[in-house]
């Protein structure tokens, strides 16, 4: 291309520079410089700028007089996914579903086509990664997908030709699998590069906004676990969902990291089976299914995942160290939080963790980022170092402060209800939470208020 000057762009934040850089001046990322065509920059600045907002929405309106219509939401047929989306797929929204290869993105999207392509709604599934045969063979394993009435398939990677074919079909919902495989002829770099991803995403977004089509884009994840392509992609779409899980185990989790139409706290749980993904509506039961009572270094913990209480097991293995500096590893608990709680136990209760290695693990790949799980972590640690199990049927709820005090937590009633539903009989709760608690509501459950970790010690026998 003539006169095409190269500029460099940061793959993480999209900041541009005229020279190559080792470290991005804007976001501080290393080795994130990528070449992009000056061409595209020019095109964007001049006439070819694409609209994202619908064309009919460019009048000034008085805010108080403006009325919104009901946001139409369509159920995807998977209530776990609907929950993460905030109640269903919003019409004319663009959702980015990101995840590692093989995690099940294509499977999930094909499965939701069954419900989406019913009641006269047309769904167009565009694949740039697999052949028609492959997709059809996969659909044979998934119940009801093969015979979905108004599901259409297109294997194409050229954005102009995809748009043209979509215009003819005029679908209600489009799925692009994946955004990294589509390319636009107006950009000369390879598919998957920053300029390509941005250009293609922009044309899909403007299509969604102008024509009222809901679009789901599949995004790849790079080595570091971020979405491959520019960070700006995340700003452009309405919702960003991460599909994650351990590939060796069959559980999969969807979490929203951005959602313009709902909360980002919700998670959706699935299990990969021989016939596709099945929902896990009761995560606590799943997470506790392999639990053995009477083993030291283990305590049940209750965290709020959005509006839903989830009970998991936290395990602490404490072994005497062979290293000059003891090892601490933590899986599912924030590392610094774990070190802090260990320090509190050393200082306030005199436990000698400095001569021990500590390995912390939360079962099922759950992440405890709520302080309400502190008390359970400390009980698991004490039980681990003493090698004595916590009492059977016990669960601990509470935040631990630096002087060893147990602090109040939010939504304690929801947590207690879930714990009693799952058969826990002794629930340690922060003393401050007791005032507002109606303990008679939970027959057969002993609710034990604790002011500090000292008061919780007798429950490790
Ligand atoms: P896939 O949906 O192709 O992943 P992605 O699109 O995220 O790359 O995931 C396929 C994986 O799931 C593959 O390893 C096989 C497995 N699988 C099952 O276990 N059961 C099934 O019914 C299907 C369709 C796939
Ligand atoms: Mg795929």
């Amino acid at each position: 291309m003539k006169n095409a000057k190269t500029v460099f762009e940061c793959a993480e934040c999209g900041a541009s520079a005229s020279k190559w850089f080792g470290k991005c001046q804007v976001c501080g990322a290393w080795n994130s410089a990528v070449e992009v065509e000056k061409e595209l920059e020019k095109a964007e600045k001049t006439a070819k700028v694409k609209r994202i907002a619908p064309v009919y929405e460019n009048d000034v309106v008085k805010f108080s007089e403006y009325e919104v219509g009901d946001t139409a939401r369509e159920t995807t047929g998977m209530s776990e996914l609907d929950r993460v989306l905030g109640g269903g797929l919003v019409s004319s929204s663009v959702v980015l579903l990101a995840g590692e290869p093989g995690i099940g993105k294509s499977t999930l999207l094909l499965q939701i086509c069954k419900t989406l392509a019913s009641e006269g709604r047309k769904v167009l599934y565009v694949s740039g990664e697999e052949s028609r045969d492959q997709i059809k063979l996969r659909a044979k394993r998934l119940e009801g997908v093969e015979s979905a009435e108004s599901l259409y398939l297109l294997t194409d990677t050229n954005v102009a030709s995809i748009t043209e074919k979509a215009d003819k079909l005029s679908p209600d919902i489009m799925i692009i699998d994946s955004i990294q495989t589509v390319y636009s002829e107006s950009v000369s770099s390879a598919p998957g590069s920053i300029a390509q991803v941005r250009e293609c995403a922009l044309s899909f977004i403007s299509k969604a906004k102008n024509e009222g089509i809901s679009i789901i884009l599949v995004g790849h994840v790079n080595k570091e676990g971020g979405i491959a392509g520019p960070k700006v992609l995340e700003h452009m779409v309405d919702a960003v969902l991460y599909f994650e899980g351990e590939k060796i185990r069959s559980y999969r989790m969807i979490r929203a990291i951005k959602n313009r139409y709902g909360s980002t706290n919700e998670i959706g749980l699935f299990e990969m089976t021989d016939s596709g993904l099945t929902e896990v509506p009761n995560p606590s039961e799943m997470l506790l299914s392999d639990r053995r009572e009477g083993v030291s270094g283990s305590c049940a913990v209750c965290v709020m995942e959005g509006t839903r209480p989830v009970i998991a097991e936290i395990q602490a293995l404490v072994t005497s160290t062979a290293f000059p500096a003891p090892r601490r590893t933590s899986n599912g608990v924030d590392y610094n939080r774990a070190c802090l709680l260990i320090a509190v136990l050393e200082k306030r209760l005199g436990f000698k963790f400095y001569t021990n290695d500590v390995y912390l693990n939360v079962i099922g790949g759950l992440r405890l980022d709520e302080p309400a799980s502190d008390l359970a972590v400390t009980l698991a640690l004490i039980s681990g170092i003493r090698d004595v199990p916590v009492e059977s049927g016990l669960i601990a709820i509470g935040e631990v402060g630096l002087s060893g005090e147990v602090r109040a937590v939010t939504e304690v009633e929801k947590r207690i209800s879930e714990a009693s539903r799952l058969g826990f009989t002794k629930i340690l709760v922060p003393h401050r939470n007791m005032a507002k608690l109606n303990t008679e509501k939970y027959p057969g459950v002993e609710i034990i208020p604790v002011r500090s970790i000292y008061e919780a010690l007798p429950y490790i026998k």
Side-chain angles (χ1 to χ4, degrees):
M1 232 175 263
K2 249 194 274 171
N3 296 336
K5 274 188 210 149
T6 48
V7 284
F8 290 88
E9 214 168 68
C10 170
E12 297 297 324
C13 69
S16 59
S18 57
K19 281 190 295 187
W20 185 87
F21 53 88
K23 184 187 179 190
C24 174
Q25 293 296 311
V26 180
C27 69
W30 285 95
N31 282 333
S32 60
V34 207
E35 269 183 51
V36 278
E37 276 71 24
K38 195 89 185 170
E39 211 68 359
L40 176 73
E41 301 257 305
K42 258 195 264 164
E44 274 185 2
K45 283 199 188 102
T46 52
K48 281 195 246 157
V49 177
K50 292 216 172 72
R51 270 171 212 281
I52 294 187
V55 268
Y56 48 82
E57 267 188 11
N58 49 12
D59 291 336
V60 176
V61 288
K62 195 158 177 216
F63 197 72
S64 58
E65 283 164 14
Y66 181 72
E67 302 253 334
V68 279
D70 279 342
T71 27
R73 287 186 189 264
E74 275 150 34
T75 167
T76 59
M78 291 248 181
S79 52
E80 290 293 298
L81 179 60
D82 285 347
R83 182 209 313 277
V84 181
L85 285 168
L89 191 63
V90 176
S91 62
S92 72
S93 68
V94 181
V95 176
L96 177 65
L97 177 68
E100 286 180 15
I103 202 82
K105 301 180 293 295
S106 309
T107 307
L108 177 74
L109 292 177
L110 212 51
Q111 276 182 280
I112 62 169
C113 284
K114 178 179 66 180
T115 310
L116 290 176
S118 61
E119 293 164 19
R121 286 187 302 247
K122 279 189 206 163
V123 179
L124 177 60
Y125 185 94
V126 184
S127 179
E129 303 203 328
E130 289 163 300
S131 70
R132 289 181 198 178
D133 287 5
Q134 280 174 314
I135 298 167
K136 190 78 191 186
L137 280 174
R138 184 205 309 262
K140 278 194 202 303
R141 298 168 70 176
L142 312 170
E143 196 202 320
V145 175
E146 230 200 328
S147 54
E149 193 47 45
S150 45
L151 174 61
Y152 296 83
L153 180 63
L154 172 65
T155 45
D156 200 342
T157 50
N158 184 327
V159 72
S161 106
I162 294 173
T163 324
E164 191 193 310
K165 286 165 192 161
D167 283 343
K168 264 191 218 142
L169 182 74
S170 72
D172 301 292
I173 294 151
M174 264 172 86
I175 293 169
I176 312 292
D177 191 359
S178 66
I179 188 71
Q180 275 90 3
T181 53
V182 284
Y183 71 96
S184 160
E185 275 169 2
S186 60
V187 181
S188 61
S189 53
S193 65
I194 291 190
Q196 283 287 7
V197 167
R198 189 168 50 185
E199 179 72 5
C200 297
L202 215 48
S203 38
F204 289 125
I205 293 169
S206 56
K207 192 165 177 59
K209 301 296 168 194
N210 286 325
E211 297 166 32
I213 304 175
S214 310
I215 298 187
I216 303 178
L217 304 173
V218 171
H220 289 179
V221 160
N222 59 20
K223 281 201 297 291
E224 289 80 36
I227 296 168
K231 195 84 182 161
V232 281
L233 188 59
E234 290 180 37
H235 296 300
M236 281 152 57
V237 297
D238 296 312
V240 181
L241 310 184
Y242 265 88
F243 202 7
E244 52 193 24
E246 294 159 53
K247 255 182 278 171
I248 14 163
R249 296 180 55 180
S250 56
Y251 297 123
R252 303 281 188 272
M253 199 182 280
I254 287 195
R255 56 175 87 238
I257 60 159
K258 162 183 174 174
N259 193 352
R260 288 186 182 150
Y261 301 108
S263 148
T264 51
N265 292 326
E266 301 286 354
I267 59 165
L269 275 173
F270 299 89
E271 188 175 0
M272 184 61 96
T273 65
D274 287 343
S275 51
L277 291 153
T278 50
E279 299 179 76
V280 181
N282 283 317
S284 309
E285 272 156 34
M286 172 198 97
L287 291 167
L288 291 175
S289 59
D290 292 332
R291 185 158 190 239
R292 281 170 58 211
E293 291 260 8
V295 180
S296 71
S298 154
C299 186
V301 58
C302 183
V303 283
M304 296 302 294
E305 289 287 355
T307 52
R308 177 165 60 168
V310 174
I311 295 185
E313 180 189 355
I314 165 118
Q315 294 183 326
L317 184 67
V318 185
T319 57
S320 54
T321 185
F323 304 103
R327 282 187 65 143
R328 271 103 180 76
T329 66
S330 151
N331 198 353
V333 184
D334 178 61
Y335 179 78
N336 291 326
R337 191 86 201 159
C339 291
L340 184 146
L341 293 173
I342 290 171
V344 170
L345 291 179
E346 282 187 345
K347 180 78 184 170
R348 306 289 167 200
L349 297 177
F351 285 109
K352 294 187 176 117
F353 281 99
Y354 48 84
T355 56
N356 288 287
D357 293 336
V358 177
Y359 305 91
L360 275 171
N361 184 34
V362 183
I363 300 298
L366 207 68
R367 274 188 250 143
L368 311 181
D369 30 27
E370 240 196 330
S373 53
D374 287 353
L375 188 58
V377 176
T378 50
L379 290 193
L381 284 167
I382 299 171
S383 161
I385 197 168
R386 281 193 182 165
D387 206 9
V388 189
V390 297
E391 273 192 26
S392 74
L394 179 123
I395 184 166
I397 301 165
E399 178 180 348
V400 173
L402 292 188
S403 52
E405 79 278 20
V406 175
R407 295 173 162 263
V409 299
T410 55
E411 310 208 64
V412 70
E413 279 181 37
K414 273 193 187 166
R415 299 177 207 255
I416 295 176
S417 305
E418 177 73 356
S420 75
R421 190 179 73 81
L422 285 157
F424 286 92
T425 48
K426 289 195 180 97
I427 308 180
L428 301 186
V429 295
H431 191 270
R432 279 273 310 282
N433 278 110
M434 283 304 275
K436 286 191 195 136
L437 214 60
N438 179 6
T439 47
E440 279 159 25
K441 257 182 20 196
Y442 314 98
V445 177
E446 197 185 338
I447 296 177
I448 307 151
V450 283
R451 284 194 184 84
S452 69
I453 19 182
Y454 306 97
E455 292 180 20
L457 284 182
Y459 299 95
I460 306 170
K461 288 205 179 120

